[in-house]
Amino acid sequence: MQEVLIESKGIKTDQYFIPPFELRKGDLVIIYLEGGFHFDDLKAQLVAIFTGEVQHENVKINKALTFVKPFKESFFKTIFNPVRVGRYLKNNADVNNLAVSKIFETENFTKNDKVKNLGISEQKRLSLATVFSKTKNVVFDLRGESASHF
């Protein structure tokens, strides 16, 4: 029997209901949130619960997930010293992990490319590979992505 990471008896608010589920090691759970003005708040609430930052009475976190944050760079850094893919990986990933080297086999960018010049999908996959190099227990946002990208 596989390790249970999250046990949820269901999450209900005025705006949504997520039915009960268990997340076991090796499983993938997809939660589809309808778009709209409430999307960002709902996503933030769920990320806080699944990463263990906030407790919810109906959710037991046995092993917290890591949220794959989108790439952000300050305006001044973007102009004067933009981050390149190689430096981003060196600063944020376990560079000895196979997932890091594999990203260059599947993507059309190199270590010398500026992260700011990558498309949003490429930035998301770069961030995802970075987090996957450290842990397999992740939560991430696929907003704006088609199934063919992942």
Side-chain angles (χ1 to χ4, degrees):
M1 184 173 223
Q2 290 181 333
E3 174 185 10
V4 176
L5 305 176
I6 296 176
E7 299 174 68
S8 173
K9 295 177 184 173
I11 303 171
K12 181 172 176 44
T13 71
D14 294 340
Q15 300 166 327
Y16 65 94
F17 173 69
I18 297 174
F21 69 91
E22 283 186 351
L23 176 63
R24 297 179 180 279
K25 184 176 180 178
D27 285 353
L28 175 68
V29 172
I30 297 174
I31 299 174
Y32 176 76
L33 300 176
E34 190 69 37
F37 69 93
H38 61 279
F39 176 85
D40 288 323
D41 288 338
L42 293 178
K43 181 182 91 170
Q45 289 173 17
L46 291 174
V47 166
I49 292 169
F50 298 142
T51 58
E53 294 174 30
V54 171
Q55 291 189 352
H56 188 280
E57 62 187 8
N58 289 341
V59 180
K60 181 179 177 187
I61 305 293
N62 297 318
K63 195 166 206 177
L65 305 180
T66 300
F67 178 61
V68 179
K69 296 178 182 172
F71 172 77
K72 290 186 181 178
E73 186 172 55
S74 74
F75 175 75
F76 291 108
K77 188 141 181 120
T78 298
I79 292 174
F80 296 111
N81 190 21
V83 175
R84 296 185 184 275
V85 171
R87 185 166 35 135
Y88 177 80
L89 290 171
K90 184 179 178 184
N91 292 341
N92 297 293
D94 174 1
V95 293
N96 297 318
N97 188 294
L98 189 58
V100 174
S101 62
K102 289 279 187 190
I103 194 162
F104 297 108
E105 294 176 15
T106 59
E107 297 295 340
N108 294 321
F109 54 79
T110 68
K111 291 180 179 182
N112 293 322
D113 288 326
K114 296 174 184 172
V115 177
K116 72 173 185 167
N117 291 343
L118 302 179
I120 297 299
S121 294
E122 292 172 314
Q123 287 180 7
K124 281 186 178 186
R125 290 190 298 274
L126 178 63
S127 296
L128 188 59
T130 300
V131 174
F132 266 135
S133 75
K134 296 178 180 180
T135 181
K136 302 296 182 221
N137 303 327
V138 300
V139 58
F140 55 97
D141 172 13
L142 291 176
R143 177 174 42 180
E145 298 296 325
S146 72
S148 65
H149 285 135
F150 285 90

